[in-house]
Amino acid sequence: MSSECLFCKIIAGELPSETVYKDEQVTAFRDINPVAPTHVLIVPNKHIASTNELSEEDEQVVGHLFTTARKIAEQEGVAESGYRLIINTGPDAGQVIFHLHLHLLGGHRMRHPMG
Ligand code: 5GP
Ligand code: ZN
């Protein structure tokens, strides 16, 4: 846990969020500023600043982020209609919160092509 990290505080329950899933490895909650009808952030409970800080020991939890995304897509009813999974790393990608998170976006046709 990083004491200055917003998402660590959400994971610890020190800041409110609309949690949609939680287990011992990951937490998923609704984005405060959704850009699609479904916009969920899936984060490791361990503080990892970005993909630049990943190490081999994180491979299991990173895999778990993706299987959790699959479950949430089903739960949210977007598994068949489709969804986009996004991870922003660093300035050019517009990363704002430096605690690794997977955006799950769905519920409408994506307006923007990638890049
Ligand atoms: P990034 O650009 O770092 O990939 O995305 C950070 C995301 O976190 C943004 O989509 C933003 O709306 C979301 N966010 C920022 N602060 C909060 C917060 O306090 N609560 C929740 N639920 N989402 C937040
Ligand atoms: Zn953190």
Side-chain angles (χ1 to χ4, degrees):
M1 159 131 188
S2 163
S3 58
E4 298 306 311
C5 174
L6 190 72
F7 285 0
C8 280
K9 288 180 181 162
I10 287 176
I11 293 159
E14 292 169 11
L15 284 176
S17 74
E18 197 183 332
T19 304
V20 297
Y21 179 84
K22 191 169 181 61
D23 65 25
E24 58 287 342
Q25 287 189 298
V26 302
T27 301
F29 51 91
R30 295 197 192 281
D31 197 291
I32 204 168
N33 184 25
V35 299
T38 292
H39 188 170
V40 173
L41 303 173
I42 308 159
V43 312
N45 294 341
K46 172 189 174 185
H47 181 83
I48 302 168
S50 78
T51 55
N52 281 342
E53 281 71 34
L54 282 173
S55 64
E56 278 69 19
E57 70 180 30
D58 300 318
E59 286 175 2
Q60 203 274 331
V61 73
V62 170
H64 195 56
L65 288 177
F66 280 84
T67 50
T68 301
R70 190 262 296 161
K71 285 181 200 159
I72 291 169
E74 289 167 3
Q75 201 172 294
E76 295 286 320
V78 299
E80 295 304 319
S81 51
Y83 54 95
R84 190 171 280 175
L85 298 173
I86 299 171
I87 295 176
N88 294 318
T89 301
D92 277 357
Q95 186 179 6
V96 173
I97 305 286
F98 283 81
H99 181 126
L100 180 66
H101 51 281
L102 188 58
H103 293 257
L104 189 158
L105 301 174
H108 69 195
R109 189 73 177 224
M110 298 298 148
R111 289 182 289 261
H112 303 290
M114 287 190 290

Short mmCIF file of all heavy atoms in Angstrom, two decimals, residues 10-61:
data_model
loop_
_atom_site.label_atom_id
_atom_site.label_comp_id
_atom_site.label_asym_id
_atom_site.label_seq_id
_atom_site.Cartn_x
_atom_site.Cartn_y
_atom_site.Cartn_z
N ILE A 10 -8.83 3.47 -2.06
CA ILE A 10 -10.09 2.84 -2.45
C ILE A 10 -10.07 1.35 -2.10
O ILE A 10 -11.02 0.81 -1.52
CB ILE A 10 -10.37 3.07 -3.96
CG1 ILE A 10 -10.77 4.54 -4.19
CG2 ILE A 10 -11.45 2.11 -4.49
CD1 ILE A 10 -10.97 4.93 -5.65
N ILE A 11 -8.96 0.67 -2.41
CA ILE A 11 -8.83 -0.77 -2.12
C ILE A 11 -8.96 -1.02 -0.61
O ILE A 11 -9.61 -1.97 -0.18
CB ILE A 11 -7.47 -1.30 -2.65
CG1 ILE A 11 -7.45 -1.26 -4.17
CG2 ILE A 11 -7.19 -2.72 -2.14
CD1 ILE A 11 -6.06 -1.28 -4.77
N ALA A 12 -8.36 -0.12 0.18
CA ALA A 12 -8.39 -0.27 1.65
C ALA A 12 -9.73 0.14 2.24
O ALA A 12 -9.95 0.00 3.45
CB ALA A 12 -7.26 0.55 2.27
N GLY A 13 -10.63 0.69 1.42
CA GLY A 13 -11.93 1.14 1.92
C GLY A 13 -11.87 2.48 2.62
O GLY A 13 -12.82 2.90 3.28
N GLU A 14 -10.75 3.20 2.44
CA GLU A 14 -10.61 4.51 3.08
C GLU A 14 -11.25 5.62 2.26
O GLU A 14 -11.47 6.72 2.76
CB GLU A 14 -9.12 4.83 3.30
CG GLU A 14 -8.47 3.91 4.33
CD GLU A 14 -6.96 4.04 4.36
OE1 GLU A 14 -6.41 4.97 3.73
OE2 GLU A 14 -6.32 3.18 5.00
N LEU A 15 -11.51 5.34 0.99
CA LEU A 15 -12.23 6.26 0.12
C LEU A 15 -13.38 5.47 -0.51
O LEU A 15 -13.23 4.29 -0.82
CB LEU A 15 -11.33 6.81 -0.99
CG LEU A 15 -10.33 7.89 -0.61
CD1 LEU A 15 -9.44 8.24 -1.81
CD2 LEU A 15 -11.04 9.16 -0.12
N PRO A 16 -14.53 6.12 -0.71
CA PRO A 16 -15.68 5.39 -1.26
C PRO A 16 -15.52 5.09 -2.74
O PRO A 16 -14.83 5.82 -3.47
CB PRO A 16 -16.85 6.37 -1.04
CG PRO A 16 -16.22 7.72 -0.94
CD PRO A 16 -14.83 7.52 -0.40
N SER A 17 -16.12 3.99 -3.16
CA SER A 17 -16.19 3.67 -4.58
C SER A 17 -17.34 2.69 -4.76
O SER A 17 -17.79 2.07 -3.79
CB SER A 17 -14.90 3.02 -5.08
OG SER A 17 -14.82 1.69 -4.62
N GLU A 18 -17.80 2.57 -5.99
CA GLU A 18 -18.84 1.58 -6.28
C GLU A 18 -18.14 0.28 -6.72
O GLU A 18 -17.84 0.09 -7.90
CB GLU A 18 -19.80 2.09 -7.35
CG GLU A 18 -21.09 1.28 -7.36
CD GLU A 18 -22.05 1.73 -8.46
OE1 GLU A 18 -22.02 2.91 -8.85
OE2 GLU A 18 -22.81 0.87 -8.94
N THR A 19 -17.88 -0.56 -5.74
CA THR A 19 -17.15 -1.80 -6.00
C THR A 19 -18.06 -2.80 -6.70
O THR A 19 -19.20 -3.00 -6.29
CB THR A 19 -16.62 -2.39 -4.68
OG1 THR A 19 -15.82 -1.40 -4.04
CG2 THR A 19 -15.78 -3.63 -4.90
N VAL A 20 -17.56 -3.42 -7.76
CA VAL A 20 -18.35 -4.44 -8.45
C VAL A 20 -17.77 -5.85 -8.23
O VAL A 20 -18.45 -6.84 -8.47
CB VAL A 20 -18.50 -4.15 -9.96
CG1 VAL A 20 -19.25 -2.85 -10.18
CG2 VAL A 20 -17.17 -4.13 -10.67
N TYR A 21 -16.51 -5.93 -7.77
CA TYR A 21 -15.89 -7.24 -7.53
C TYR A 21 -14.68 -7.03 -6.64
O TYR A 21 -13.97 -6.03 -6.76
CB TYR A 21 -15.46 -7.88 -8.85
CG TYR A 21 -14.79 -9.22 -8.66
CD1 TYR A 21 -15.55 -10.38 -8.53
CD2 TYR A 21 -13.39 -9.33 -8.55
CE1 TYR A 21 -14.94 -11.61 -8.31
CE2 TYR A 21 -12.78 -10.55 -8.33
CZ TYR A 21 -13.56 -11.69 -8.21
OH TYR A 21 -12.96 -12.90 -7.99
N LYS A 22 -14.44 -7.98 -5.75
CA LYS A 22 -13.24 -7.92 -4.91
C LYS A 22 -12.84 -9.32 -4.49
O LYS A 22 -13.69 -10.14 -4.13
CB LYS A 22 -13.52 -7.06 -3.66
CG LYS A 22 -12.28 -6.72 -2.85
CD LYS A 22 -12.60 -5.66 -1.81
CE LYS A 22 -11.38 -5.27 -0.99
NZ LYS A 22 -10.28 -4.70 -1.77
N ASP A 23 -11.56 -9.62 -4.56
CA ASP A 23 -11.03 -10.85 -3.95
C ASP A 23 -9.67 -10.52 -3.34
O ASP A 23 -9.32 -9.35 -3.19
CB ASP A 23 -11.03 -12.03 -4.94
CG ASP A 23 -10.09 -11.83 -6.12
OD1 ASP A 23 -9.11 -11.06 -6.01
OD2 ASP A 23 -10.32 -12.45 -7.18
N GLU A 24 -8.90 -11.53 -2.98
CA GLU A 24 -7.65 -11.28 -2.26
C GLU A 24 -6.57 -10.66 -3.17
O GLU A 24 -5.59 -10.11 -2.68
CB GLU A 24 -7.12 -12.54 -1.57
CG GLU A 24 -6.86 -13.75 -2.45
CD GLU A 24 -8.11 -14.45 -2.96
OE1 GLU A 24 -9.22 -14.24 -2.40
OE2 GLU A 24 -7.99 -15.19 -3.95
N GLN A 25 -6.78 -10.71 -4.48
CA GLN A 25 -5.75 -10.21 -5.40
C GLN A 25 -6.13 -8.93 -6.14
O GLN A 25 -5.26 -8.13 -6.47
CB GLN A 25 -5.44 -11.28 -6.45
CG GLN A 25 -4.63 -12.44 -5.91
CD GLN A 25 -4.18 -13.32 -7.05
OE1 GLN A 25 -5.00 -13.88 -7.76
NE2 GLN A 25 -2.89 -13.41 -7.24
N VAL A 26 -7.41 -8.78 -6.47
CA VAL A 26 -7.83 -7.64 -7.30
C VAL A 26 -9.11 -7.00 -6.77
O VAL A 26 -9.88 -7.65 -6.05
CB VAL A 26 -8.05 -8.05 -8.78
CG1 VAL A 26 -6.80 -8.67 -9.38
CG2 VAL A 26 -9.24 -8.98 -8.94
N THR A 27 -9.29 -5.74 -7.14
CA THR A 27 -10.53 -5.01 -6.82
C THR A 27 -11.01 -4.35 -8.10
O THR A 27 -10.20 -3.86 -8.90
CB THR A 27 -10.26 -3.94 -5.74
OG1 THR A 27 -9.75 -4.59 -4.57
CG2 THR A 27 -11.53 -3.17 -5.36
N ALA A 28 -12.34 -4.34 -8.31
CA ALA A 28 -12.92 -3.69 -9.49
C ALA A 28 -14.00 -2.73 -9.03
O ALA A 28 -14.83 -3.08 -8.18
CB ALA A 28 -13.48 -4.73 -10.45
N PHE A 29 -13.96 -1.52 -9.57
CA PHE A 29 -14.94 -0.50 -9.16
C PHE A 29 -15.25 0.40 -10.36
O PHE A 29 -14.46 0.48 -11.32
CB PHE A 29 -14.42 0.31 -7.97
CG PHE A 29 -13.03 0.87 -8.13
CD1 PHE A 29 -12.82 2.12 -8.67
CD2 PHE A 29 -11.91 0.11 -7.76
CE1 PHE A 29 -11.54 2.63 -8.82
CE2 PHE A 29 -10.62 0.61 -7.92
CZ PHE A 29 -10.44 1.87 -8.44
N ARG A 30 -16.40 1.07 -10.31
CA ARG A 30 -16.82 1.91 -11.43
C ARG A 30 -15.98 3.18 -11.50
O ARG A 30 -15.70 3.80 -10.48
CB ARG A 30 -18.31 2.25 -11.32
CG ARG A 30 -19.17 1.03 -11.44
CD ARG A 30 -20.63 1.33 -11.75
NE ARG A 30 -21.39 0.11 -11.55
CZ ARG A 30 -21.45 -0.89 -12.42
NH1 ARG A 30 -20.81 -0.79 -13.59
NH2 ARG A 30 -22.13 -1.99 -12.15
N ASP A 31 -15.62 3.57 -12.72
CA ASP A 31 -14.88 4.80 -12.93
C ASP A 31 -15.77 5.98 -12.52
O ASP A 31 -16.96 6.01 -12.83
CB ASP A 31 -14.45 4.93 -14.40
CG ASP A 31 -13.37 5.96 -14.59
OD1 ASP A 31 -13.64 7.17 -14.42
OD2 ASP A 31 -12.22 5.57 -14.90
N ILE A 32 -15.17 6.96 -11.85
CA ILE A 32 -15.92 8.13 -11.37
C ILE A 32 -16.39 9.02 -12.53
O ILE A 32 -17.35 9.77 -12.39
CB ILE A 32 -15.05 8.92 -10.36
CG1 ILE A 32 -15.92 9.75 -9.42
CG2 ILE A 32 -13.99 9.76 -11.05
CD1 ILE A 32 -15.16 10.32 -8.23
N ASN A 33 -15.72 8.90 -13.65
CA ASN A 33 -16.04 9.73 -14.82
C ASN A 33 -16.18 8.82 -16.05
O ASN A 33 -15.33 8.82 -16.93
CB ASN A 33 -14.93 10.77 -15.03
CG ASN A 33 -15.24 11.73 -16.15
OD1 ASN A 33 -16.41 11.96 -16.48
ND2 ASN A 33 -14.20 12.28 -16.76
N PRO A 34 -17.27 8.04 -16.10
CA PRO A 34 -17.37 7.00 -17.14
C PRO A 34 -17.42 7.58 -18.55
O PRO A 34 -18.07 8.60 -18.78
CB PRO A 34 -18.68 6.29 -16.79
CG PRO A 34 -19.45 7.23 -15.93
CD PRO A 34 -18.45 8.08 -15.22
N VAL A 35 -16.73 6.93 -19.48
CA VAL A 35 -16.74 7.35 -20.87
C VAL A 35 -17.51 6.35 -21.75
O VAL A 35 -17.52 6.48 -22.97
CB VAL A 35 -15.30 7.57 -21.41
CG1 VAL A 35 -14.60 8.66 -20.63
CG2 VAL A 35 -14.49 6.28 -21.39
N ALA A 36 -18.15 5.39 -21.12
CA ALA A 36 -19.01 4.42 -21.82
C ALA A 36 -20.05 3.96 -20.81
O ALA A 36 -19.85 4.12 -19.60
CB ALA A 36 -18.17 3.24 -22.33
N PRO A 37 -21.18 3.38 -21.28
CA PRO A 37 -22.21 2.93 -20.33
C PRO A 37 -21.66 1.99 -19.26
O PRO A 37 -22.08 2.05 -18.10
CB PRO A 37 -23.23 2.23 -21.24
CG PRO A 37 -23.08 2.93 -22.56
CD PRO A 37 -21.61 3.23 -22.68
N THR A 38 -20.75 1.10 -19.63
CA THR A 38 -20.01 0.31 -18.64
C THR A 38 -18.57 0.80 -18.66
O THR A 38 -17.92 0.81 -19.71
CB THR A 38 -20.04 -1.19 -18.99
OG1 THR A 38 -21.37 -1.67 -18.83
CG2 THR A 38 -19.11 -1.99 -18.08
N HIS A 39 -18.09 1.26 -17.51
CA HIS A 39 -16.69 1.68 -17.40
C HIS A 39 -16.21 1.27 -16.00
O HIS A 39 -16.50 1.93 -15.01
CB HIS A 39 -16.53 3.19 -17.60
CG HIS A 39 -15.10 3.65 -17.68
ND1 HIS A 39 -14.75 4.93 -18.06
CD2 HIS A 39 -13.93 3.00 -17.44
CE1 HIS A 39 -13.42 5.05 -18.05
NE2 HIS A 39 -12.90 3.89 -17.66
N VAL A 40 -15.52 0.14 -15.97
CA VAL A 40 -15.05 -0.44 -14.71
C VAL A 40 -13.52 -0.44 -14.73
O VAL A 40 -12.90 -0.71 -15.76
CB VAL A 40 -15.61 -1.87 -14.53
CG1 VAL A 40 -15.01 -2.55 -13.30
CG2 VAL A 40 -17.15 -1.83 -14.41
N LEU A 41 -12.93 -0.13 -13.58
CA LEU A 41 -11.48 -0.20 -13.42
C LEU A 41 -11.14 -1.44 -12.60
O LEU A 41 -11.75 -1.66 -11.55
CB LEU A 41 -10.96 1.05 -12.68
CG LEU A 41 -11.30 2.39 -13.34
CD1 LEU A 41 -10.89 3.54 -12.43
CD2 LEU A 41 -10.63 2.51 -14.70
N ILE A 42 -10.23 -2.25 -13.10
CA ILE A 42 -9.83 -3.48 -12.41
C ILE A 42 -8.37 -3.29 -12.01
O ILE A 42 -7.52 -3.02 -12.87
CB ILE A 42 -10.00 -4.70 -13.33
CG1 ILE A 42 -11.43 -4.72 -13.90
CG2 ILE A 42 -9.72 -6.00 -12.58
CD1 ILE A 42 -11.58 -5.54 -15.16
N VAL A 43 -8.10 -3.39 -10.72
CA VAL A 43 -6.77 -3.03 -10.21
C VAL A 43 -6.21 -4.15 -9.33
O VAL A 43 -6.96 -4.81 -8.61
CB VAL A 43 -6.81 -1.70 -9.42
CG1 VAL A 43 -7.56 -0.62 -10.18
CG2 VAL A 43 -7.43 -1.86 -8.04
N PRO A 44 -4.89 -4.35 -9.36
CA PRO A 44 -4.29 -5.28 -8.39
C PRO A 44 -4.35 -4.66 -6.99
O PRO A 44 -4.17 -3.44 -6.85
CB PRO A 44 -2.84 -5.42 -8.88
CG PRO A 44 -2.57 -4.19 -9.66
CD PRO A 44 -3.89 -3.73 -10.23
N ASN A 45 -4.60 -5.48 -5.97
CA ASN A 45 -4.60 -4.95 -4.60
C ASN A 45 -3.21 -4.49 -4.18
O ASN A 45 -3.07 -3.58 -3.37
CB ASN A 45 -5.13 -6.01 -3.63
CG ASN A 45 -6.60 -6.33 -3.89
OD1 ASN A 45 -7.32 -5.57 -4.52
ND2 ASN A 45 -7.05 -7.48 -3.39
N LYS A 46 -2.20 -5.13 -4.78
CA LYS A 46 -0.81 -4.71 -4.54
C LYS A 46 -0.53 -3.42 -5.32
O LYS A 46 -0.92 -3.31 -6.48
CB LYS A 46 0.12 -5.84 -5.01
CG LYS A 46 1.60 -5.51 -5.02
CD LYS A 46 2.40 -6.61 -5.72
CE LYS A 46 3.86 -6.21 -5.87
NZ LYS A 46 4.63 -7.20 -6.65
N HIS A 47 0.16 -2.47 -4.70
CA HIS A 47 0.49 -1.24 -5.42
C HIS A 47 1.59 -1.51 -6.45
O HIS A 47 2.73 -1.82 -6.10
CB HIS A 47 0.96 -0.15 -4.45
CG HIS A 47 1.28 1.13 -5.17
ND1 HIS A 47 0.33 2.05 -5.52
CD2 HIS A 47 2.47 1.61 -5.65
CE1 HIS A 47 0.90 3.05 -6.17
NE2 HIS A 47 2.20 2.81 -6.27
N ILE A 48 1.22 -1.36 -7.72
CA ILE A 48 2.17 -1.41 -8.84
C ILE A 48 1.87 -0.14 -9.62
O ILE A 48 0.73 0.09 -10.03
CB ILE A 48 1.93 -2.65 -9.74
CG1 ILE A 48 2.03 -3.96 -8.93
CG2 ILE A 48 2.91 -2.66 -10.92
CD1 ILE A 48 1.53 -5.20 -9.68
N ALA A 49 2.86 0.73 -9.81
CA ALA A 49 2.59 2.06 -10.37
C ALA A 49 2.10 2.01 -11.81
O ALA A 49 1.20 2.75 -12.20
CB ALA A 49 3.83 2.94 -10.25
N SER A 50 2.71 1.16 -12.62
CA SER A 50 2.32 1.07 -14.03
C SER A 50 2.93 -0.20 -14.60
O SER A 50 3.67 -0.91 -13.92
CB SER A 50 2.82 2.29 -14.82
OG SER A 50 4.20 2.16 -15.12
N THR A 51 2.67 -0.46 -15.88
CA THR A 51 3.29 -1.63 -16.50
C THR A 51 4.82 -1.51 -16.52
O THR A 51 5.52 -2.51 -16.60
CB THR A 51 2.77 -1.86 -17.94
OG1 THR A 51 2.97 -0.69 -18.71
CG2 THR A 51 1.30 -2.22 -17.95
N ASN A 52 5.34 -0.28 -16.41
CA ASN A 52 6.80 -0.11 -16.36
C ASN A 52 7.42 -0.71 -15.10
O ASN A 52 8.62 -0.95 -15.06
CB ASN A 52 7.17 1.38 -16.42
CG ASN A 52 7.09 1.94 -17.82
OD1 ASN A 52 7.09 1.20 -18.79
ND2 ASN A 52 7.01 3.26 -17.93
N GLU A 53 6.61 -0.89 -14.07
CA GLU A 53 7.12 -1.42 -12.80
C GLU A 53 6.83 -2.90 -12.62
O GLU A 53 7.06 -3.46 -11.55
CB GLU A 53 6.52 -0.63 -11.62
CG GLU A 53 7.19 0.72 -11.38
CD GLU A 53 6.88 1.74 -12.44
OE1 GLU A 53 5.76 1.73 -12.97
OE2 GLU A 53 7.77 2.55 -12.75
N LEU A 54 6.28 -3.55 -13.65
CA LEU A 54 5.95 -4.98 -13.52
C LEU A 54 7.21 -5.84 -13.45
O LEU A 54 8.19 -5.57 -14.14
CB LEU A 54 5.12 -5.44 -14.71
CG LEU A 54 3.63 -5.06 -14.70
CD1 LEU A 54 3.01 -5.43 -16.02
CD2 LEU A 54 2.91 -5.72 -13.54
N SER A 55 7.15 -6.89 -12.63
CA SER A 55 8.22 -7.87 -12.61
C SER A 55 7.62 -9.26 -12.78
O SER A 55 6.39 -9.42 -12.74
CB SER A 55 9.02 -7.78 -11.31
OG SER A 55 8.19 -8.13 -10.23
N GLU A 56 8.48 -10.25 -12.96
CA GLU A 56 8.00 -11.62 -13.21
C GLU A 56 7.08 -12.10 -12.09
O GLU A 56 6.13 -12.85 -12.34
CB GLU A 56 9.19 -12.58 -13.38
CG GLU A 56 9.80 -12.59 -14.78
CD GLU A 56 10.54 -11.31 -15.14
OE1 GLU A 56 10.90 -10.55 -14.21
OE2 GLU A 56 10.75 -11.07 -16.34
N GLU A 57 7.32 -11.65 -10.88
CA GLU A 57 6.49 -12.13 -9.75
C GLU A 57 5.04 -11.61 -9.85
O GLU A 57 4.16 -12.10 -9.15
CB GLU A 57 7.11 -11.73 -8.41
CG GLU A 57 7.06 -10.26 -8.12
CD GLU A 57 7.70 -9.89 -6.76
OE1 GLU A 57 8.63 -10.60 -6.35
OE2 GLU A 57 7.27 -8.91 -6.16
N ASP A 58 4.81 -10.63 -10.73
CA ASP A 58 3.46 -10.08 -10.91
C ASP A 58 2.66 -10.80 -12.00
O ASP A 58 1.51 -10.46 -12.24
CB ASP A 58 3.54 -8.59 -11.26
CG ASP A 58 4.23 -7.77 -10.18
OD1 ASP A 58 3.96 -8.02 -8.99
OD2 ASP A 58 5.05 -6.90 -10.52
N GLU A 59 3.26 -11.78 -12.64
CA GLU A 59 2.59 -12.40 -13.79
C GLU A 59 1.27 -13.05 -13.42
O GLU A 59 0.29 -12.97 -14.17
CB GLU A 59 3.53 -13.42 -14.47
CG GLU A 59 4.63 -12.71 -15.24
CD GLU A 59 5.67 -13.65 -15.83
OE1 GLU A 59 5.53 -14.88 -15.67
OE2 GLU A 59 6.63 -13.14 -16.43
N GLN A 60 1.19 -13.65 -12.26
CA GLN A 60 -0.05 -14.32 -11.85
C GLN A 60 -1.16 -13.28 -11.66
O GLN A 60 -2.29 -13.46 -12.14
CB GLN A 60 0.20 -15.13 -10.57
CG GLN A 60 -0.79 -16.27 -10.36
CD GLN A 60 -2.05 -15.80 -9.65
OE1 GLN A 60 -2.00 -14.86 -8.87
NE2 GLN A 60 -3.17 -16.45 -9.93
N VAL A 61 -0.86 -12.18 -10.98
CA VAL A 61 -1.90 -11.18 -10.71
C VAL A 61 -2.33 -10.47 -11.99
O VAL A 61 -3.51 -10.14 -12.17
CB VAL A 61 -1.48 -10.20 -9.59
CG1 VAL A 61 -0.42 -9.21 -10.03
CG2 VAL A 61 -2.70 -9.44 -9.07
#
